[in-house]
């Protein structure tokens, strides 16, 4: 069974600095999708970025980028120029590309604190 | 506005009193799912539905029921709630699977006394 591990329960960063949140996963599959979701205090879950395993290029969305290391099964999220609005819980998630597999496997989350 | 509407936002109940959490989406999505979120555990899938009248168990289905009589609605039913079902619940939907973005409801914080 697949698992997703976020080893940092909490991280803090100074406003305008860069922070990296780590995520590792375990799978025997070769094709899958990886996601980072953000959950601010409002509880609303927001998709930050997604990566397809067959794409070697790392995904980027404005200040958010990932470092996808398929062999190492690592999928870290880098937030550049941190802003106060980035304060939230961040969840890493895995989904199989197999059509009959409907599960989204989630990590335990990392709480990101932004210091003004 | 495209959205998933989940109600209520907060709910306090007592052990054994049946309750329903409603979930409705206006995007004609085929896939809908329920999750529970607990500290240190992330989100765990309770039930999901690929289309009308098609539902299946996720990782933690015990104590829950769902139905999908219409495409837009996917209620979560707790027939006899127990304190270990105290949790934050989310409904989510997407058009298909794969790398599709999930649209989430605003969550229901349930406390079972």
């Amino acid at each position: 069974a697949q698992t997703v591990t976020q080893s940092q329960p909490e991280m803090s960063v100074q406003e305008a600095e860069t922070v990296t949140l780590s995520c590792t996963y375990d799978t025997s599959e070769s094709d899958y999708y990886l996601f980072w979701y953000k959950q601010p205090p409002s509880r609303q879950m927001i998709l930050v970025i997604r990566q397809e395993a067959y794409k070697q290029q790392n995904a980027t969305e404005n200040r958010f980028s990932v470092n996808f290391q398929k062999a190492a099964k690592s999928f870290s999220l880098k937030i550049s120029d941190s802003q106060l609005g980035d304060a939230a819980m961040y969840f890493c998630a895995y989904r199989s590309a197999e059509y009959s597999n409907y599960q989204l496997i989630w990590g335990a989350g990392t709480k990101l604190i932004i210091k003004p | 506005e495209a959205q998933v509407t989940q109600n209520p936002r907060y709910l306090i109940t007592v052990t054994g009193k049946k309750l329903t959490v409603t979930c409705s989406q206006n995007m004609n999505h085929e896939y809908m799912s329920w999750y529970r979120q607990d500290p240190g555990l992330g989100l765990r899938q309770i039930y999901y539905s690929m289309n009308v009248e098609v539902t299946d168990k996720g990782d933690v289905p015990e104590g829950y029921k769902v139905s999908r009589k219409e495409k837009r609605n996917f209620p979560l039913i707790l027939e006899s709630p127990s304190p270990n079902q105290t949790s934050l619940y989310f409904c989510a939907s997407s058009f298909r699977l794969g790398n599709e973005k999930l649209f989430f409801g605003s969550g229901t914080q349930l406390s079972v006394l």
Side-chain angles (χ1 to χ4, degrees):
Chain A
Q2 296 90 1
T3 58
V4 175
T5 302
Q6 294 179 250
S7 59
Q8 307 151 316
E10 187 173 295
M11 291 279 286
S12 63
V13 63
Q14 206 71 36
E15 192 177 3
E17 298 286 302
T18 295
V19 63
T20 298
L21 309 184
S22 68
C23 172
T24 58
Y25 56 94
D26 189 27
T27 184
S28 58
E29 298 177 328
S30 59
D31 199 12
Y32 47 85
Y33 307 102
L34 296 164
F35 306 84
W36 278 99
Y37 278 85
K38 169 185 176 182
Q39 186 182 45
S42 66
R43 300 192 324 212
Q44 188 65 45
M45 295 286 281
I46 303 162
L47 177 66
V48 175
I49 200 164
R50 56 188 146 185
Q51 174 83 40
E52 288 132 337
Y54 60 84
K55 288 186 179 178
Q56 293 187 336
Q57 187 172 7
N58 288 325
T60 301
E61 290 285 346
N62 301 313
R63 298 182 295 109
F64 298 87
S65 61
V66 297
N67 183 5
F68 174 49
Q69 301 287 329
K70 191 172 184 179
K73 297 179 183 174
S74 171
F75 183 59
S76 60
L77 174 70
K78 186 171 87 170
I79 306 174
S80 303
D81 185 26
S82 298
Q83 300 175 359
L84 294 177
D86 295 334
M89 283 289 288
Y90 286 82
F91 292 96
C92 177
Y94 169 104
R95 171 182 275 164
S96 169
E98 182 183 342
Y99 185 75
S100 62
N101 189 330
Y102 307 118
Q103 283 188 312
L104 197 60
I105 312 296
W106 298 81
T110 296
K111 182 178 181 179
L112 179 63
I113 298 168
I114 310 293
K115 298 177 187 175
Chain B
E1 179 190 352
Q3 61 183 358
V4 177
T5 303
Q6 184 181 337
N7 284 299
R9 193 165 168 81
Y10 298 94
L11 181 57
I12 300 173
T13 190
V14 295
T15 299
K17 186 175 181 181
K18 181 179 178 180
L19 65 90
T20 299
V21 184
T22 62
C23 175
S24 180
Q25 48 91 6
N26 63 0
M27 296 166 279
N28 201 36
H29 283 167
E30 295 175 353
Y31 176 82
M32 297 186 75
S33 182
W34 277 102
Y35 295 90
R36 61 178 288 172
Q37 181 182 348
D38 301 288
L41 296 177
L43 278 76
R44 293 179 291 167
Q45 190 174 48
I46 303 171
Y47 270 93
Y48 63 89
S49 169
M50 286 304 298
N51 216 323
V52 175
E53 302 292 1
V54 180
T55 64
D56 210 342
K57 297 177 181 178
D59 292 324
V60 289
E62 295 78 20
Y64 305 95
K65 282 176 60 176
V66 293
S67 68
R68 188 96 181 267
K69 296 191 173 80
E70 305 165 283
K71 199 169 188 178
R72 61 184 293 126
N73 294 325
F74 191 46
L76 179 70
I77 303 156
L78 284 71
E79 295 266 359
S80 183
S82 62
N84 65 10
Q85 292 178 298
T86 292
S87 186
L88 177 59
Y89 291 86
F90 285 98
C91 178
S93 73
S94 68
F95 186 61
R96 288 183 297 267
L97 293 175
N99 70 342
E100 288 279 332
K101 167 185 168 181
L102 272 177
F103 289 78
F104 282 84
S106 53
T108 296
Q109 181 62 59
L110 172 65
S111 295
V112 183
L113 306 178

